[in-house]
Amino acid sequence: MFLTLGTDLTGIDAPARDFGFLLHKNPARPQAIDVTGGSAHVFYPEATDERCTAAVLLEIDPIGLVRSGRGKAAEGFTLGQYVNDRPYAASSLLAVALAKLFRTAMNGRCDARPELAARPIPLEIHVPALPCNGGSDLAERFFAPLGWTVDARPVPLDPELPAWGDSRYVDLRLTGVLRLADALNHLYVMLPVLDDAKHYWVGSDEVDKLVRAGEGWLAAHPEKDLISRRYLAHRRYLADAALERLVEVDGEELAEESSDEGSVSLAVERRDVVAGVLRELGARRIADIGCGEGALVGELLKDPMIGELIATDVSARALIRAKRRLHYDDLPDRQRDRLRFLQSSVTYSDERLAGLDAVVLMEVVEHVDPPRLPALAYSVFRTARPAAVVMTTPNSEYNVRFPSLPAGNFRHPDHRFEWTRPEFETWCHEAAARYGYAVEFRPVGPVDPAVGPPTQLALFTLGTPAEAEVAR
């Protein structure tokens, strides 16, 4: 089993042999590690200032694979666990080997050449024998949307007997200008997906691996459903969980990439702005409605002045993931006592949320069907009736500034709508007047003179007692 990764660093002020720093493998010294059923080797067929190519050779012992419990017999063929293509064709075995060999590179880290690790570089990848359950067209559909130029040529069953036709293998060559970390993560996911098989049991921990490797690209991929199903061995419940997490992790950031190199993402800036508004309000009892995986809750939990945090979401799975992300079970007793998780829908009145200092709806309202917006307003402003409400939502006018977002598309596949600034302000003024709140608006992110900020924030504060009584 064989794979090569090469670069010439054309147009980049660095010698090609610096590729070894990115891979954390010295071109002058071949290296080997033990893997399931065999060993993996890294060596460099060429390493000059002009070109550098790293090769991965995976030696698999079919008998050793069976003894490890990872061999799998083909249907109707008892010796299939010993006589098969696993030693020769790229598969999940190679994907796991890549992860072990280049774990640091896959994470995008290179202390010796950090600037090179962070930037796209010219890359060439060659996999001579890749099982492709779906043919060469499927390889094109999987890799081309990621920025690769794909050359997937079917391997004939026998070159001397063309009448026999093609095998299920392709000779795959990928060329493109991408970050090395992204390229390795693409391979890690796609090798077993194209083979449509794994050499180990697929359980819930594989969802974490897919979300980690697919972060930043899989949620936007046109074949994300098929990729997720195949990667997770066609276990629908696992694929659904992975897709939901990918949307939550990446969905808002698919189009929200900052145009300024080195600046923080809009998602991080949004959390910081909302946390700053809550500090400004002096809020001590806060509910994050539609908390998702708990990113904002984790930020607020750092503030010792906040005495009570309530994290709500309509999805029980989201709450479970939020607890896992926040390491809830490992928190000190004092921290756990400050934090509660509640399953709740923003469109239904919930007395458990009544009378708080502040309620946050961060990137929530646009996920609600427009006919349900009056119910949202009633449950938040009338039933819960906090002293303040902080609401953020995308500014649809800014969408034209996202090169990766096709015209007419929303930023997130689950958005029911996206408001312009006048539309958002009109809705907020009407809700504030109906329920006795004052409202002000603030930008989040860089303000474009023509289209405004990428995110718009409304801060509602409860009016005087007389105004509030009239609103009742």
Side-chain angles (χ1 to χ4, degrees), residues 331-350:
L331 290 174
D333 291 342
R334 182 177 297 180
Q335 291 284 69
R336 282 204 308 274
D337 290 343
R338 297 167 59 205
L339 178 59
R340 279 196 295 157
F341 291 90
L342 301 176
Q343 186 174 9
S344 181
S345 170
V346 70
T347 58
Y348 290 92
S349 295
D350 192 335

Side-chain angles (χ1 to χ4, degrees), residues 100-354:
K100 292 187 69 174
L101 288 166
F102 306 127
R103 185 177 306 279
T104 305
M106 287 177 68
N107 291 330
R109 178 183 166 190
C110 179
D111 295 340
R113 299 290 188 275
E115 72 292 338
L116 197 57
R119 68 185 300 179
I121 62 174
L123 291 171
E124 301 173 11
I125 296 174
H126 183 205
V127 188
L130 174 62
C132 198
N133 186 4
S136 57
D137 290 344
L138 190 62
E140 175 83 21
R141 285 161 50 195
F142 281 178
F143 283 106
L146 301 173
W148 293 104
T149 298
V150 183
D151 181 6
R153 302 185 182 185
V155 176
L157 282 170
D158 189 332
E160 302 300 323
L161 297 169
W164 285 11
D166 295 327
S167 69
R168 73 184 191 97
Y169 305 93
V170 298
D171 183 335
L172 179 69
R173 293 181 185 270
L174 304 173
T175 56
V177 180
L178 295 90
R179 287 195 320 137
L180 176 62
D182 294 333
L184 291 171
N185 280 293
H186 295 166
L187 288 172
Y188 177 76
V189 172
M190 296 301 190
L191 291 179
V193 165
L194 285 166
D195 186 22
D196 201 11
K198 281 196 170 183
H199 68 279
Y200 55 88
W201 171 255
V202 173
S204 58
D205 58 328
E206 290 298 295
V207 175
D208 295 332
K209 295 178 185 178
L210 179 59
V211 171
R212 186 165 53 247
E215 184 174 353
W217 60 271
L218 184 51
H221 199 290
E223 300 289 347
K224 61 180 180 294
D225 291 331
L226 179 58
I227 292 170
S228 300
R229 285 201 307 272
R230 284 191 169 198
Y231 186 89
L232 295 164
H234 298 274
R235 288 172 168 80
R236 185 75 243 186
Y237 71 99
L238 293 179
D240 288 345
L243 287 170
E244 186 177 342
R245 287 182 57 185
L246 283 163
V247 163
E248 291 177 358
V249 171
D250 292 337
E252 294 298 332
E253 299 186 39
L254 294 178
E256 296 177 355
E257 298 171 356
S258 172
S259 59
D260 299 322
E261 185 176 352
S263 62
V264 298
S265 73
L266 180 57
V268 174
E269 184 171 0
R270 186 164 48 230
R271 289 197 296 270
D272 290 345
V273 169
V274 170
V277 171
L278 294 170
R279 285 194 295 269
E280 175 188 322
L281 293 170
R284 298 292 177 261
R285 302 175 63 235
I286 300 168
D288 181 11
I289 296 180
C291 67
E293 292 201 351
L296 177 63
V297 173
E299 184 66 27
L300 297 177
L301 203 57
K302 300 175 185 177
D303 187 346
M305 299 304 293
I306 296 176
E308 181 181 3
L309 274 171
I310 303 174
T312 84
D313 202 284
V314 70
S315 168
R317 285 188 295 182
L319 295 175
I320 291 171
R321 291 196 299 271
K323 284 186 175 182
R324 186 182 303 131
R325 174 179 181 154
L326 297 171
H327 304 288
Y328 178 76
D329 293 334
D330 298 325
L331 290 174
D333 291 342
R334 182 177 297 180
Q335 291 284 69
R336 282 204 308 274
D337 290 343
R338 297 167 59 205
L339 178 59
R340 279 196 295 157
F341 291 90
L342 301 176
Q343 186 174 9
S344 181
S345 170
V346 70
T347 58
Y348 290 92
S349 295
D350 192 335
E351 296 289 349
R352 295 175 297 177
L353 304 178

